Amino acid sequence: MMTVNEVSKLTGVSIRALQYYDTIGLLPPTEYTEAGYRLYDDAAMERLQQILLFKELEFPLKEIKAIMDAPDFDRDKALSQQIKLLTMKKEHLEHLIDFARKIKTTGVDKMDFHVFDTTKMDEYASQAKEQWGQTAAYKEYEAKTKNQSPDTQKLAWKNLMLIFVDFGKMKEKEPGNEEAQRQVKKLQYYISEYFYMCSKEILKGLGQLYASGGEFTENIDKVAGSGTAAFAAKAIELYCK
C-alpha cells in the first residue's frame, strides 16, 4: 500500500489532483487508515497509469471516468491507441528538434512551417475519442450516470461486486448448476438496470473479460476470492449457450 504522499512523489500527480480524482470517483483509494488517510494498492496504481495515458489523448476527466468505469472497457484497445498517439508525438518532437538544429546551423527558412503541422496527430486523437464516445454502451452508461453523485456511483459498483461475492461462495460447485445460472441472470439484470442493456452477446463478452487475467480478474478475485472470476466466466459461458 502507498500513501497519497508517496503516490504523488512517485507519479508527479499533485496531492490536490489525487484528492480531486477521489472526489469525482475517478480514482478512489483502495482503503483509508484509521486516521482517514488515503491508501493505494497495485490495482489503483494501474488505474492511475491508464488515467494518465488517457490524458495524453486529451480526454476530459469526466469522459475518462465514464470510459474506464464501463464494464465493456477494453484495456488492450486503449493501450494500442495510447501507444500510437505517443509514438506520433515522439516523432513530432524529433522533427522539431531536427528543425531547430537546422536553423542553428544554416539559418531560418521563412517559408518552412510544415514541421509545426500536427494535423495527423490531432485527427488520430479525435478519431480515438469518437470511437469511445460513439459506442452504444458508452452513451447509455453516460446517460444513466451523468446526474448521479459519486456516492451513488460507488454504491452501484459496490453492489455489483457483491454479486461476485455470491459467485465466490458457490465456486466449488459446477458452473452449470441451477444456483450459478440464477446468479448469472441476476448479474445480467443488474448491469442492464444500473449500467446499460446487457444482451447475451454483451454478457458473453464480459465473461471473457472476467477470465482474461487483467484488471477485471484481479478486482473480482480480490473481493470475492481467488478463482471467482474464472468460475463466473464459465457460468456466463454456459448461460449464454
Side-chain angles (χ1 to χ4, degrees), residues 3-102:
T3 66
V4 69
N5 286 307
E6 291 170 335
V7 172
S8 180
K9 289 178 181 178
L10 177 66
T11 64
V13 179
S14 70
I15 293 175
R16 179 173 294 182
L18 291 169
Q19 292 171 339
Y20 181 66
Y21 291 176
D22 180 17
T23 300
I24 64 175
L26 178 61
L27 182 68
T30 307
E31 60 184 61
Y32 294 87
T33 66
E34 292 183 1
Y37 294 107
R38 296 171 175 84
L39 294 174
Y40 300 83
D41 65 3
D42 289 345
M45 297 301 292
E46 181 181 342
R47 183 176 172 90
L48 179 56
Q49 288 176 337
Q50 284 285 337
I51 292 168
L52 296 179
L53 285 170
F54 260 120
K55 288 187 68 180
E56 290 296 329
L57 283 171
E58 299 180 3
F59 276 57
L61 294 179
K62 180 181 178 182
E63 291 185 19
I64 295 173
K65 181 180 184 302
I67 290 168
M68 294 187 65
D69 283 353
D72 64 342
F73 172 59
D74 187 336
R75 182 175 60 174
D76 288 341
K77 176 182 176 182
L79 283 171
S80 295
Q81 291 175 332
Q82 290 155 355
I83 290 168
K84 173 70 173 177
L85 182 63
L86 289 170
T87 301
M88 294 174 77
K89 286 190 173 184
K90 174 177 175 287
E91 292 172 351
H92 177 65
L93 289 173
E94 288 174 345
H95 291 155
L96 285 174
I97 291 169
D98 291 342
F99 184 72
R101 285 173 175 162
K102 180 181 176 182

Side-chain angles (χ1 to χ4, degrees), residues 166-185 227-241:
D166 288 338
F167 270 119
K169 295 175 181 177
M170 60 183 78
K171 64 184 178 183
E172 301 303 325
K173 302 178 181 179
E174 289 296 323
N177 77 75
E178 185 178 348
E179 182 183 13
Q181 292 301 293
R182 283 200 306 267
Q183 191 68 9
V184 174
K185 181 176 287 189
T228 300
F231 174 81
K234 185 61 178 178
I236 290 170
E237 179 186 351
L238 293 172
Y239 176 85
C240 291
K241 285 182 180 179

Side-chain angles (χ1 to χ4, degrees), residues 3 23 30 36 45 60 64 79 82 94 96 101 111 125 127 130 148 158 165 187 191-192 204-205 208-209 225 239:
T3 66
T23 300
T30 307
M45 297 301 292
I64 295 173
L79 283 171
Q82 290 155 355
E94 288 174 345
L96 285 174
R101 285 173 175 162
M111 300 304 293
Q127 289 169 3
E130 186 175 354
Q148 292 179 355
K158 178 181 178 180
V165 170
L187 174 66
I191 292 173
S192 295
K204 182 179 179 181
Q208 292 170 350
L209 281 177
Y239 176 85

